[in-house]
Every structure is written in C-alpha cells, then in structure tokens.
Amino acid sequence: AEYMGKAESIKMFVVGLTGGIASGKTNAAKILEKLGARVLDADKLGHAAYAPGNDAHRQVIEAFGTHILTSDGTIDRAALGARVFGNTSEMKRLTDIVWPEIARLASEELERLKSVGTSWTVVEAAVLLEAGWQNMCDEVWCMVVPPHIARQRIMERNALTAEEADRRIRSQLSNDERISRSHVVVDSSGSKEETSSKLVAEVKELSQRVLRSRGIHLAVSSPL
C-alpha cells in the first residue's frame, strides 16, 4: 500500500472498504475483522481529528465559529453537520480541514500496524473515494445496494421520510461512480448470511491473489 513512510521490507496489504449510506459497509467491516483483518474506522479517526488540542479542531472553530462548540469545548458534530449539509461550499470548507487530518492519522496507524507484523488491514470509510484515501490502499472494495433498498433501510433505521432518505442518497456518489473505481464489488441487498458468504469467498480469492502477486501470506481466520 502506498502510504507515508512505506518500508518495502515489511509487507502489509490494505483494503479500502467503502459504500453509500445503508450499503452494509459497517457490517462488512465486522465480518472482515472476524476473518482476520485489522479494521481502521475512518469515522472514529474523524472523532479524533475533531478533538480539542488537535490542529483541525482549531481550524474548524476559526472557520465556523464558537457556536458549534458544546459546553465542554468539544465540537458538536450534529450542529456542524446541519450547518454544512446541502451547502457544497461550506462542506468543502470543512472537508478541506478534516480530511487531510484523518489521512494523517490513518497513515500513522497503518505504519504502526505494519511495524507489528499485521498482514492485512481494512480502512473503512464512506468517503474513501471522495477524499482520495484510496491512494493509501492496495485495493478498493465497495458495498452496494440498489437505491430502493437503501431508501427502505434509511427510512427504517433513521425514521426518515422517503424524500429525506432520497436526499441523503443523492448527496453521495452514485453506485456506478463507486463501482467504476473499485476492484471488488459486493451486493449486500440479500440477508446478512448471504453477504457474509460473499465476503468469505472474496477474502479467499484475495489471499490467493496477494500471495501470487506480492508474496504476502494473509492471516485469514476460518469462515464464520
């Protein structure tokens, strides 16, 4: 994987896992973790990026004002999200601050995992492609569901109307855009068991592919 400070002597394979809202990405990450991958959750790194004392925390306050802070000085991500959602220029202003910081934190963690002999790691990120984080991954894996299934899942999970769900879906990359930039695509519109079986099969193929092309033995756990 091409990320900062790469040492050729120690090999680790990095999968970037992405997908739209309600595509089953988080469930897929849990399955891949059970199959032996270490998982880096970009959303958790995002929480770290917003933490007080961090450079991104200061820049976000300078850009959006102190009214986005809670009483203890942390950034209210819900209030900030409401401010930028649907506003392209404000969203870009925010992501220009936060995405590079998340990339820095991810690179540091990938270096640490590689240094302790981890054979494969999954970077789970909804905005992997939008942020350009695929550059630190060897392959991009994409979870997809048809829009009508995504809509139903969002309405049930988030208690939103069909119109609100559609607006969230439209605010993201389309399935076609993601698929065209991915190495592996897994449709998760079936049951969790069906999705799990598909991922087990993909990991088996990956382990053979990586051994052939890179000489890396992936530490893969037995199927669930």
Side-chain angles (χ1 to χ4, degrees):
E2 298 299 328
Y3 46 88
M4 298 173 203
K6 177 180 174 182
E8 287 295 340
S9 57
I10 309 171
K11 296 177 179 179
M12 179 174 76
F13 198 86
V14 181
V15 171
L17 177 67
T18 193
I21 187 168
S23 64
K25 182 174 69 330
T26 302
N27 180 56
K30 288 176 182 170
I31 293 167
L32 294 173
E33 191 168 40
K34 285 178 181 172
L35 288 168
R38 293 297 300 269
V39 174
L40 273 189
D41 182 344
D43 198 49
K44 286 182 181 168
L45 293 177
H47 282 285
Y50 283 109
N54 197 305
D55 200 39
H57 179 270
R58 177 184 55 76
Q59 290 180 54
V60 168
I61 295 167
E62 284 176 4
F64 296 97
T66 54
H67 63 279
I68 58 159
L69 294 176
T70 61
S71 56
D72 63 359
T74 57
I75 290 170
D76 183 339
R77 290 181 71 183
L80 183 59
R83 162 111 183 240
V84 302
F85 184 75
N87 185 323
T88 308
S89 61
E90 290 283 81
M91 180 66 86
K92 185 176 187 313
R93 200 170 165 205
L94 176 62
T95 57
D96 282 351
I97 295 169
V98 178
W99 284 355
E101 179 61 15
I102 294 173
R104 185 186 70 77
L105 293 169
S107 289
E108 285 182 359
E109 183 60 12
L110 287 171
E111 280 297 333
R112 188 193 70 76
L113 289 169
K114 187 171 70 166
S115 72
V116 297
T118 305
S119 68
W120 64 303
T121 298
V122 171
V123 177
E124 179 199 347
V127 295
L128 185 89
L129 298 171
E130 296 93 323
W133 298 334
Q134 73 272 18
N135 296 333
M136 63 176 87
C137 305
D138 295 293
E139 286 188 2
V140 174
W141 287 28
C142 178
M143 303 302 295
V144 295
V145 289
H148 71 277
I149 292 180
R151 180 193 303 122
Q152 193 63 41
R153 288 180 179 177
I154 296 165
M155 288 169 66
E156 290 170 4
R157 187 180 73 188
N158 300 64
L160 297 177
T161 65
E163 189 181 335
E164 289 169 329
D166 285 341
R167 194 157 62 241
R168 292 204 180 185
I169 293 167
R170 282 197 305 272
S171 73
Q172 302 186 326
L173 288 181
S174 70
N175 280 345
D176 286 346
E177 286 174 291
R178 282 199 179 88
I179 289 167
S180 69
R181 298 165 68 184
S182 299
H183 300 83
V184 171
V185 177
V186 177
D187 186 314
S188 69
S189 50
S191 67
K192 286 189 176 180
E193 290 74 25
E194 287 170 324
T195 301
S196 179
S197 295
K198 289 178 184 177
L199 286 165
V200 167
E202 290 293 351
V203 168
K204 281 182 183 172
E205 282 192 28
L206 175 69
S207 63
Q208 293 166 2
R209 194 160 66 238
V210 172
L211 182 58
R212 275 198 312 269
S213 64
R214 299 277 296 278
I216 301 176
H217 289 269
L218 297 192
V220 178
S221 306
S222 59
L224 318 182

